[in-house]
Amino acid sequence: MAQISNNIAIQVAALSGLGLIYQSRKDYPQAIACHQQCLTLAQQLSDRACEANTLLSLGLAHSGLGKHALAVDDYQRSLAIYRTFGDRFSEGTA
């Protein structure tokens, strides 16, 4: 089981990095696809910090596509998670 979790964590890191690269290239559809896969895996791992960070990245990508309602939803979900941690700094970025 630990090996499976480790493999998923590696996938999460790779997908997150790819999503950020696609975002920097303004390839928002690809960025969103990577971030959505990353979000699913983070939820499987119950990694709430990764989930919040991924939602923040999704919000940026949705905003880049002009899908502001989706971006707001992503930001609000991210903020709710950050608040459970008492992470005031990250709350300010969400």
Coordinates of all heavy atoms in Angstrom, one line a residue:
M1 N 0.8 -1.2 0.0 CA 0.0 0.0 0.0 C 0.9 1.3 0.0 O 0.6 2.2 -0.7 CB -0.9 0.0 1.2 CG -1.9 1.1 1.3 SD -3.1 1.0 -0.1 CE -4.2 2.2 0.4
A2 N 1.9 1.3 0.8 CA 2.8 2.4 0.8 C 3.4 2.7 -0.6 O 3.6 3.8 -1.0 CB 3.9 2.2 1.8
Q3 N 3.8 1.6 -1.3 CA 4.3 1.8 -2.6 C 3.3 2.4 -3.6 O 3.7 3.3 -4.4 CB 4.8 0.4 -3.2 CG 5.4 0.5 -4.5 CD 6.8 1.2 -4.5 OE1 7.5 1.2 -3.5 NE2 7.1 1.8 -5.6
I4 N 2.1 2.0 -3.5 CA 1.0 2.6 -4.3 C 0.9 4.1 -4.0 O 0.8 4.9 -4.9 CB -0.3 1.9 -4.1 CG1 -0.2 0.4 -4.7 CG2 -1.5 2.6 -4.8 CD1 -1.4 -0.5 -4.4
S5 N 0.8 4.4 -2.7 CA 0.7 5.8 -2.3 C 1.9 6.7 -2.8 O 1.7 7.8 -3.3 CB 0.6 6.0 -0.8 OG -0.6 5.5 -0.4
N6 N 3.1 6.1 -2.7 CA 4.3 6.8 -3.2 C 4.2 7.0 -4.7 O 4.5 8.1 -5.2 CB 5.5 6.0 -2.9 CG 6.8 6.8 -3.1 OD1 6.8 8.0 -2.9 ND2 7.8 6.1 -3.6
N7 N 3.7 6.0 -5.5 CA 3.6 6.2 -6.9 C 2.6 7.2 -7.3 O 2.8 8.0 -8.2 CB 3.2 4.8 -7.6 CG 4.3 3.8 -7.6 OD1 5.5 4.2 -7.4 ND2 4.0 2.6 -7.7
I8 N 1.5 7.3 -6.5 CA 0.5 8.3 -6.8 C 1.0 9.7 -6.5 O 0.8 10.6 -7.2 CB -0.8 8.0 -6.0 CG1 -1.5 6.7 -6.5 CG2 -1.8 9.2 -6.1 CD1 -2.7 6.3 -5.7
A9 N 1.8 9.8 -5.4 CA 2.4 11.1 -5.0 C 3.3 11.5 -6.1 O 3.4 12.7 -6.4 CB 3.1 11.0 -3.7
I10 N 4.1 10.6 -6.7 CA 5.0 11.0 -7.8 C 4.1 11.5 -9.0 O 4.5 12.5 -9.7 CB 5.9 9.8 -8.2 CG1 6.9 9.5 -7.1 CG2 6.6 10.0 -9.5 CD1 7.6 8.2 -7.2
Q11 N 3.0 10.8 -9.3 CA 2.2 11.2 -10.4 C 1.6 12.6 -10.2 O 1.5 13.4 -11.1 CB 1.0 10.2 -10.6 CG 1.4 8.9 -11.1 CD 0.3 7.9 -11.2 OE1 -0.8 8.3 -11.7 NE2 0.4 6.7 -10.7
V12 N 1.2 12.9 -8.9 CA 0.7 14.2 -8.5 C 1.7 15.2 -8.8 O 1.4 16.3 -9.4 CB 0.2 14.2 -7.1 CG1 0.0 15.6 -6.6 CG2 -1.0 13.4 -6.9
A13 N 2.9 15.0 -8.4 CA 4.0 16.0 -8.6 C 4.2 16.2 -10.1 O 4.4 17.4 -10.5 CB 5.3 15.5 -7.9
A14 N 4.3 15.2 -10.9 CA 4.5 15.3 -12.3 C 3.3 16.1 -13.0 O 3.6 17.0 -13.8 CB 4.7 13.9 -12.9
L15 N 2.1 15.7 -12.6 CA 1.0 16.4 -13.2 C 0.9 17.8 -12.8 O 0.6 18.7 -13.7 CB -0.3 15.7 -12.8 CG -0.6 14.3 -13.5 CD1 -1.7 13.5 -12.8 CD2 -1.0 14.5 -15.0
S16 N 1.2 18.1 -11.6 CA 1.2 19.5 -11.2 C 2.2 20.3 -11.9 O 2.0 21.4 -12.4 CB 1.5 19.6 -9.7 OG 1.6 20.9 -9.2
G17 N 3.4 19.8 -12.1 CA 4.5 20.5 -12.8 C 4.1 20.7 -14.3 O 4.3 21.8 -14.8
L18 N 3.5 19.6 -14.9 CA 3.1 19.8 -16.3 C 2.0 20.8 -16.4 O 2.0 21.6 -17.4 CB 2.6 18.4 -16.8 CG 3.6 17.4 -17.2 CD1 2.9 16.1 -17.5 CD2 4.3 17.9 -18.5
G19 N 1.1 20.8 -15.5 CA 0.0 21.8 -15.5 C 0.6 23.2 -15.5 O 0.1 24.1 -16.2
L20 N 1.5 23.4 -14.6 CA 2.1 24.8 -14.5 C 2.9 25.2 -15.7 O 2.9 26.3 -16.2 CB 3.1 24.8 -13.3 CG 2.3 24.7 -11.9 CD1 3.3 24.6 -10.8 CD2 1.4 25.9 -11.7
I21 N 3.5 24.2 -16.4 CA 4.2 24.5 -17.6 C 3.2 24.9 -18.7 O 3.4 25.8 -19.4 CB 5.1 23.3 -18.1 CG1 6.3 23.2 -17.1 CG2 5.6 23.4 -19.5 CD1 7.1 21.9 -17.3
Y22 N 2.2 24.1 -18.8 CA 1.1 24.4 -19.8 C 0.5 25.8 -19.6 O 0.3 26.5 -20.5 CB 0.0 23.3 -19.9 CG 0.4 22.1 -20.6 CD1 0.3 20.8 -19.9 CD2 0.9 22.1 -21.9 CE1 0.7 19.7 -20.5 CE2 1.3 20.9 -22.5 CZ 1.1 19.7 -21.8 OH 1.5 18.5 -22.5
Q23 N 0.3 26.1 -18.3 CA -0.2 27.4 -17.9 C 0.7 28.5 -18.4 O 0.3 29.5 -18.9 CB -0.4 27.4 -16.4 CG -1.8 27.8 -16.0 CD -2.1 27.6 -14.6 OE1 -2.4 26.5 -14.2 NE2 -2.0 28.6 -13.8
S24 N 2.0 28.3 -18.1 CA 3.0 29.4 -18.5 C 3.0 29.6 -20.0 O 3.4 30.7 -20.5 CB 4.4 29.0 -17.9 OG 5.0 28.0 -18.6
R25 N 2.7 28.5 -20.7 CA 2.6 28.6 -22.2 C 1.3 29.1 -22.7 O 1.0 29.1 -23.9 CB 3.0 27.3 -22.8 CG 4.4 26.8 -22.5 CD 4.7 25.5 -23.0 NE 4.5 25.3 -24.4 CZ 4.4 24.2 -25.1 NH1 4.5 23.1 -24.4 NH2 4.1 24.2 -26.4
K26 N 0.4 29.4 -21.8 CA -1.0 29.8 -22.0 C -1.8 28.7 -22.8 O -2.8 29.0 -23.5 CB -1.0 31.1 -22.8 CG -0.4 32.3 -22.0 CD -0.7 33.6 -22.6 CE 0.0 34.7 -21.9 NZ 0.3 34.7 -20.5
D27 N -1.4 27.5 -22.6 CA -2.2 26.3 -23.1 C -3.1 25.9 -22.0 O -2.9 24.9 -21.3 CB -1.2 25.2 -23.5 CG -1.9 24.1 -24.2 OD1 -3.2 24.0 -24.2 OD2 -1.2 23.2 -24.8
Y28 N -4.1 26.7 -21.8 CA -5.0 26.5 -20.6 C -5.8 25.2 -20.6 O -6.0 24.5 -19.6 CB -5.9 27.7 -20.4 CG -5.1 29.0 -20.1 CD1 -5.2 30.0 -21.0 CD2 -4.4 29.1 -19.0 CE1 -4.4 31.2 -20.8 CE2 -3.6 30.2 -18.7 CZ -3.7 31.3 -19.7 OH -2.9 32.4 -19.4
P29 N -6.3 24.7 -21.8 CA -7.0 23.4 -21.8 C -6.1 22.3 -21.3 O -6.6 21.4 -20.6 CB -7.4 23.3 -23.3 CG -7.6 24.7 -23.8 CD -6.4 25.4 -23.1
Q30 N -4.9 22.3 -21.8 CA -3.9 21.2 -21.3 C -3.6 21.4 -19.8 O -3.5 20.4 -19.1 CB -2.7 21.2 -22.1 CG -2.8 20.6 -23.5 CD -3.1 19.1 -23.4 OE1 -4.2 18.7 -23.7 NE2 -2.1 18.3 -22.9
A31 N -3.5 22.6 -19.4 CA -3.2 22.9 -18.0 C -4.4 22.4 -17.1 O -4.1 21.7 -16.1 CB -3.0 24.4 -17.7
I32 N -5.6 22.7 -17.6 CA -6.8 22.2 -16.8 C -6.8 20.7 -16.8 O -7.1 20.1 -15.7 CB -8.0 22.9 -17.4 CG1 -8.1 24.4 -17.1 CG2 -9.3 22.2 -16.9 CD1 -9.1 25.1 -17.9
A33 N -6.5 20.1 -17.9 CA -6.6 18.6 -17.9 C -5.6 18.0 -16.9 O -5.9 17.1 -16.1 CB -6.3 18.1 -19.3
C34 N -4.4 18.6 -16.8 CA -3.4 18.1 -15.9 C -3.8 18.4 -14.4 O -3.7 17.5 -13.5 CB -2.0 18.7 -16.1 SG -1.2 18.1 -17.6
H35 N -4.3 19.6 -14.2 CA -4.7 20.0 -12.8 C -5.9 19.1 -12.4 O -6.0 18.8 -11.2 CB -5.0 21.4 -12.7 CG -3.8 22.3 -12.9 ND1 -2.6 22.1 -12.3 CD2 -3.7 23.5 -13.6 CE1 -1.8 23.1 -12.6 NE2 -2.4 23.9 -13.4
Q36 N -6.8 18.8 -13.3 CA -7.9 18.0 -12.9 C -7.5 16.6 -12.5 O -8.0 16.0 -11.5 CB -9.0 18.0 -14.0 CG -9.8 19.3 -14.0 CD -10.8 19.4 -15.2 OE1 -10.6 18.8 -16.2 NE2 -11.8 20.1 -15.0
Q37 N -6.6 16.0 -13.3 CA -6.0 14.7 -12.9 C -5.3 14.8 -11.6 O -5.4 13.9 -10.7 CB -5.1 14.2 -14.0 CG -5.7 13.8 -15.3 CD -4.7 13.4 -16.3 OE1 -3.9 12.5 -16.1 NE2 -4.7 14.2 -17.4
C38 N -4.5 15.8 -11.4 CA -3.8 16.0 -10.1 C -4.8 16.1 -9.0 O -4.6 15.5 -7.9 CB -2.9 17.3 -10.2 SG -1.9 17.6 -8.8
L39 N -5.9 16.8 -9.1 CA -6.9 17.0 -8.1 C -7.5 15.7 -7.7 O -7.6 15.4 -6.5 CB -7.9 18.0 -8.6 CG -9.1 18.3 -7.6 CD1 -8.5 18.9 -6.3 CD2 -10.1 19.2 -8.2
T40 N -7.8 14.9 -8.7 CA -8.4 13.6 -8.4 C -7.5 12.7 -7.6 O -7.9 12.1 -6.6 CB -8.8 12.8 -9.7 OG1 -9.7 13.6 -10.4 CG2 -9.3 11.4 -9.5
L41 N -6.2 12.7 -8.0 CA -5.2 11.9 -7.2 C -5.0 12.5 -5.8 O -4.8 11.7 -4.9 CB -3.9 11.8 -8.0 CG -4.0 11.1 -9.3 CD1 -2.7 11.2 -10.1 CD2 -4.3 9.6 -9.1
A42 N -4.9 13.8 -5.7 CA -4.7 14.4 -4.4 C -5.9 14.0 -3.5 O -5.7 13.7 -2.3 CB -4.6 15.9 -4.5
Q43 N -7.1 14.0 -4.0 CA -8.2 13.6 -3.2 C -8.1 12.1 -2.8 O -8.5 11.7 -1.7 CB -9.5 13.9 -4.0 CG -9.8 15.3 -4.1 CD -10.9 15.7 -5.1 OE1 -11.2 15.0 -6.0 NE2 -11.5 16.9 -4.9
Q44 N -7.6 11.3 -3.7 CA -7.4 9.8 -3.4 C -6.5 9.7 -2.3 O -6.6 8.8 -1.4 CB -7.0 9.1 -4.6 CG -8.0 8.8 -5.7 CD -7.5 8.1 -6.9 OE1 -6.3 7.6 -6.9 NE2 -8.3 8.0 -7.9
L45 N -5.4 10.5 -2.2 CA -4.4 10.5 -1.2 C -4.9 11.2 0.1 O -4.2 11.1 1.1 CB -3.1 11.1 -1.7 CG -2.3 10.4 -2.7 CD1 -1.1 11.3 -3.2 CD2 -1.8 9.1 -2.2
S46 N -6.0 11.9 0.0 CA -6.5 12.7 1.1 C -5.4 13.7 1.5 O -5.2 14.1 2.7 CB -6.8 11.8 2.4 OG -7.8 10.9 2.1
D47 N -4.8 14.3 0.5 CA -3.8 15.3 0.7 C -4.4 16.7 0.5 O -4.5 17.2 -0.6 CB -2.6 15.1 -0.3 CG -1.5 16.1 -0.1 OD1 -1.7 17.2 0.5 OD2 -0.4 15.8 -0.6
R48 N -4.9 17.2 1.6 CA -5.7 18.4 1.5 C -4.9 19.7 1.1 O -5.4 20.5 0.4 CB -6.4 18.7 2.8 CG -7.3 17.6 3.3 CD -8.6 17.6 2.5 NE -9.5 18.6 3.0 CZ -10.5 19.1 2.3 NH1 -10.8 18.6 1.1 NH2 -11.3 20.1 2.8
A49 N -3.7 19.7 1.5 CA -2.8 20.8 1.0 C -2.6 20.8 -0.5 O -2.7 21.9 -1.1 CB -1.5 20.8 1.8
C50 N -2.3 19.7 -1.0 CA -2.2 19.5 -2.5 C -3.5 19.8 -3.2 O -3.5 20.5 -4.2 CB -1.7 18.1 -2.8 SG -1.4 17.9 -4.6
E51 N -4.6 19.4 -2.6 CA -5.9 19.7 -3.2 C -6.1 21.2 -3.3 O -6.6 21.7 -4.3 CB -7.0 19.0 -2.3 CG -8.3 19.1 -2.9 CD -9.4 18.3 -2.0 OE1 -9.0 17.5 -1.2 OE2 -10.6 18.6 -2.2
A52 N -5.9 21.9 -2.2 CA -6.1 23.3 -2.2 C -5.2 24.0 -3.2 O -5.6 24.9 -3.9 CB -5.8 23.9 -0.8
N53 N -3.9 23.6 -3.2 CA -3.0 24.2 -4.2 C -3.4 24.0 -5.6 O -3.3 24.8 -6.5 CB -1.5 23.7 -4.0 CG -1.0 24.2 -2.6 OD1 -1.3 25.2 -2.1 ND2 0.0 23.4 -2.1
T54 N -3.9 22.7 -5.9 CA -4.3 22.4 -7.2 C -5.6 23.2 -7.6 O -5.7 23.6 -8.8 CB -4.6 20.9 -7.3 OG1 -3.3 20.2 -7.0 CG2 -5.0 20.5 -8.7
L55 N -6.5 23.3 -6.7 CA -7.7 24.2 -7.0 C -7.3 25.6 -7.3 O -7.9 26.2 -8.2 CB -8.6 24.1 -5.8 CG -9.4 22.8 -5.6 CD1 -10.0 22.7 -4.2 CD2 -10.5 22.7 -6.7
L56 N -6.3 26.1 -6.6 CA -5.8 27.4 -6.9 C -5.2 27.5 -8.3 O -5.6 28.4 -9.1 CB -4.7 27.8 -5.9 CG -4.2 29.3 -5.9 CD1 -5.4 30.2 -5.6 CD2 -3.1 29.5 -4.8
S57 N -4.5 26.5 -8.7 CA -3.9 26.5 -10.1 C -5.0 26.3 -11.1 O -5.0 26.9 -12.2 CB -2.9 25.3 -10.2 OG -1.8 25.5 -9.4
L58 N -6.0 25.5 -10.8 CA -7.2 25.3 -11.7 C -7.9 26.7 -11.9 O -8.3 27.0 -13.0 CB -8.2 24.3 -11.1 CG -8.1 22.9 -11.6 CD1 -9.1 22.0 -10.8 CD2 -8.4 22.8 -13.1
G59 N -8.0 27.4 -10.8 CA -8.7 28.7 -10.9 C -7.9 29.7 -11.8 O -8.5 30.4 -12.6
L60 N -6.6 29.7 -11.7 CA -5.8 30.5 -12.6 C -6.0 30.1 -14.1 O -6.1 31.0 -14.9 CB -4.3 30.4 -12.2 CG -4.0 31.0 -10.8 CD1 -2.5 30.7 -10.4 CD2 -4.1 32.5 -10.9
A61 N -6.0 28.8 -14.3 CA -6.2 28.3 -15.7 C -7.6 28.6 -16.2 O -7.7 29.1 -17.3 CB -5.9 26.8 -15.8
H62 N -8.6 28.4 -15.4 CA -10.0 28.8 -15.8 C -10.1 30.3 -16.1 O -10.7 30.7 -17.0 CB -11.0 28.4 -14.7 CG -11.3 26.9 -14.8 ND1 -11.4 26.1 -13.7 CD2 -11.6 26.1 -15.8 CE1 -11.7 24.9 -14.0 NE2 -11.8 24.9 -15.3
S63 N -9.4 31.1 -15.2 CA -9.4 32.5 -15.4 C -8.7 32.9 -16.8 O -9.2 33.8 -17.5 CB -8.7 33.2 -14.3 OG -8.8 34.6 -14.4
G64 N -7.6 32.2 -17.1 CA -6.9 32.4 -18.3 C -7.8 32.2 -19.5 O -7.6 32.8 -20.6
L65 N -8.7 31.2 -19.4 CA -9.7 30.9 -20.5 C -10.9 31.9 -20.5 O -11.7 31.8 -21.4 CB -10.2 29.5 -20.4 CG -9.3 28.4 -20.9 CD1 -9.9 27.0 -20.7 CD2 -9.0 28.6 -22.4
G66 N -11.0 32.7 -19.5 CA -12.1 33.6 -19.4 C -13.3 32.9 -18.8 O -14.4 33.5 -18.8
K67 N -13.1 31.8 -18.1 CA -14.2 31.1 -17.5 C -14.2 31.5 -16.0 O -13.8 30.7 -15.1 CB -14.0 29.6 -17.6 CG -14.2 29.1 -19.1 CD -14.1 27.6 -19.2 CE -14.3 27.2 -20.6 NZ -14.4 25.8 -20.8
H68 N -14.6 32.7 -15.8 CA -14.5 33.3 -14.5 C -15.3 32.7 -13.4 O -14.9 32.6 -12.2 CB -14.7 34.8 -14.6 CG -13.7 35.5 -15.5 ND1 -12.3 35.5 -15.3 CD2 -13.9 36.1 -16.7 CE1 -11.7 36.1 -16.3 NE2 -12.6 36.5 -17.2
A69 N -16.5 32.2 -13.8 CA -17.4 31.6 -12.8 C -16.7 30.3 -12.2 O -16.8 30.1 -11.0 CB -18.8 31.3 -13.4
L70 N -16.1 29.6 -13.1 CA -15.4 28.4 -12.7 C -14.2 28.7 -11.8 O -13.9 28.1 -10.9 CB -14.9 27.5 -13.9 CG -16.0 26.7 -14.7 CD1 -15.4 26.1 -15.9 CD2 -16.6 25.7 -13.8
A71 N -13.5 29.8 -12.2 CA -12.3 30.2 -11.5 C -12.8 30.6 -10.0 O -12.1 30.2 -9.1 CB -11.7 31.4 -12.2
V72 N -13.8 31.3 -9.9 CA -14.3 31.8 -8.6 C -14.6 30.5 -7.8 O -14.3 30.5 -6.6 CB -15.5 32.7 -8.7 CG1 -16.2 32.9 -7.4 CG2 -15.1 34.0 -9.3
D73 N -15.3 29.6 -8.4 CA -15.6 28.3 -7.6 C -14.3 27.6 -7.2 O -14.2 27.2 -6.0 CB -16.4 27.4 -8.5 CG -16.9 26.1 -7.8 OD1 -17.5 26.3 -6.7 OD2 -16.5 25.0 -8.2
D74 N -13.3 27.5 -8.0 CA -12.1 26.9 -7.7 C -11.4 27.7 -6.5 O -10.9 27.0 -5.6 CB -11.1 26.9 -8.9 CG -11.6 26.0 -10.0 OD1 -12.3 25.1 -9.8 OD2 -11.2 26.4 -11.2
Y75 N -11.4 29.0 -6.6 CA -10.8 29.8 -5.5 C -11.5 29.6 -4.2 O -10.9 29.5 -3.2 CB -10.7 31.3 -5.9 CG -9.9 31.6 -7.1 CD1 -10.3 32.6 -8.0 CD2 -8.6 31.0 -7.3 CE1 -9.5 32.9 -9.1 CE2 -7.8 31.3 -8.4 CZ -8.3 32.3 -9.3 OH -7.5 32.6 -10.4
Q76 N -12.8 29.6 -4.3 CA -13.6 29.5 -3.0 C -13.4 28.1 -2.4 O -13.2 28.0 -1.2 CB -15.1 29.7 -3.3 CG -15.4 31.1 -3.6 CD -16.9 31.4 -3.9 OE1 -17.6 30.5 -4.4 NE2 -17.3 32.6 -3.7
R77 N -13.3 27.0 -3.2 CA -13.0 25.7 -2.7 C -11.6 25.7 -2.1 O -11.4 25.1 -1.0 CB -13.2 24.7 -3.8 CG -14.6 24.5 -4.2 CD -14.8 23.6 -5.4 NE -14.2 22.3 -5.2 CZ -13.9 21.5 -6.2 NH1 -14.1 21.9 -7.5 NH2 -13.4 20.3 -6.0
S78 N -10.7 26.3 -2.7 CA -9.3 26.3 -2.2 C -9.3 27.1 -0.9 O -8.6 26.6 0.1 CB -8.4 27.0 -3.3 OG -7.1 27.1 -2.8
L79 N -9.9 28.2 -0.8 CA -9.9 29.0 0.4 C -10.5 28.3 1.5 O -10.0 28.3 2.7 CB -10.7 30.3 0.1 CG -10.9 31.3 1.3 CD1 -9.6 31.8 1.8 CD2 -11.8 32.4 0.9
A80 N -11.6 27.5 1.3 CA -12.3 26.7 2.3 C -11.3 25.7 2.9 O -11.2 25.5 4.2 CB -13.5 26.1 1.8
I81 N -10.5 25.1 2.1 CA -9.5 24.1 2.6 C -8.4 24.8 3.4 O -8.0 24.4 4.5 CB -8.9 23.3 1.4 CG1 -10.0 22.4 0.8 CG2 -7.8 22.4 1.9 CD1 -9.6 21.8 -0.5
Y82 N -7.9 25.9 2.8 CA -6.8 26.7 3.5 C -7.3 27.1 4.9 O -6.6 27.1 5.9 CB -6.4 27.9 2.8 CG -5.5 27.6 1.5 CD1 -5.8 28.2 0.3 CD2 -4.4 26.7 1.6 CE1 -5.0 28.0 -0.8 CE2 -3.7 26.4 0.5 CZ -3.9 27.1 -0.7 OH -3.2 26.8 -1.8
R83 N -8.6 27.5 5.0 CA -9.1 27.9 6.3 C -9.1 26.8 7.3 O -9.0 27.0 8.5 CB -10.5 28.5 6.1 CG -10.4 29.9 5.6 CD -11.8 30.6 5.5 NE -11.6 32.0 5.1 CZ -12.6 32.6 4.5 NH1 -13.7 32.1 4.2 NH2 -12.3 33.9 4.2
T84 N -9.3 25.5 6.9 CA -9.3 24.4 7.8 C -7.9 24.2 8.4 O -7.8 23.7 9.5 CB -9.8 23.1 7.2 OG1 -8.8 22.7 6.2 CG2 -11.1 23.2 6.6
F85 N -6.9 24.7 7.7 CA -5.5 24.6 8.2 C -5.1 25.8 9.1 O -4.1 25.8 9.8 CB -4.5 24.6 7.1 CG -4.6 23.4 6.2 CD1 -4.4 23.6 4.8 CD2 -4.9 22.1 6.6 CE1 -4.4 22.5 3.9 CE2 -5.0 21.1 5.7 CZ -4.8 21.3 4.4
G86 N -5.9 26.9 9.0 CA -5.5 28.1 9.7 C -4.4 28.7 9.0 O -3.6 29.5 9.6
D87 N -4.2 28.5 7.7 CA -3.1 29.0 6.9 C -3.5 30.4 6.3 O -4.0 30.5 5.3 CB -2.8 28.0 5.7 CG -1.6 28.4 4.9 OD1 -1.1 29.5 5.0 OD2 -1.1 27.5 4.1
R88 N -3.2 31.4 7.1 CA -3.6 32.8 6.8 C -2.9 33.3 5.5 O -3.5 34.0 4.7 CB -3.3 33.7 7.9 CG -3.9 33.3 9.2 CD -5.4 33.4 9.2 NE -5.8 34.8 9.3 CZ -7.0 35.3 9.2 NH1 -8.0 34.5 9.0 NH2 -7.3 36.6 9.3
F89 N -1.6 32.9 5.3 CA -0.9 33.3 4.1 C -1.6 32.7 2.9 O -1.8 33.5 1.9 CB 0.6 32.9 4.2 CG 1.3 33.2 2.9 CD1 1.8 34.5 2.7 CD2 1.6 32.3 1.9 CE1 2.4 34.9 1.5 CE2 2.2 32.6 0.8 CZ 2.7 33.9 0.6
S90 N -1.8 31.5 2.8 CA -2.5 30.8 1.7 C -3.9 31.3 1.5 O -4.4 31.4 0.4 CB -2.4 29.3 1.8 OG -1.1 28.9 1.7
E91 N -4.6 31.6 2.6 CA -5.9 32.2 2.5 C -5.8 33.5 1.6 O -6.7 33.8 0.8 CB -6.5 32.6 3.8 CG -7.1 31.4 4.6 CD -7.7 31.8 5.9 OE1 -8.3 32.9 6.0 OE2 -7.5 31.1 6.9
G92 N -4.8 34.3 1.8 CA -4.6 35.5 1.1 C -4.4 35.4 -0.4 O -4.6 36.2 -1.2
T93 N -3.8 34.2 -0.8 CA -3.6 34.0 -2.2 C -4.8 33.3 -2.9 O -4.8 33.3 -4.1 CB -2.3 33.1 -2.4 OG1 -2.6 31.8 -1.8 CG2 -1.1 33.7 -1.8
A94 N -5.7 32.8 -2.1 CA -6.8 32.1 -2.7 C -7.9 33.0 -3.1 O -8.1 34.1 -2.6 CB -7.4 31.0 -1.8

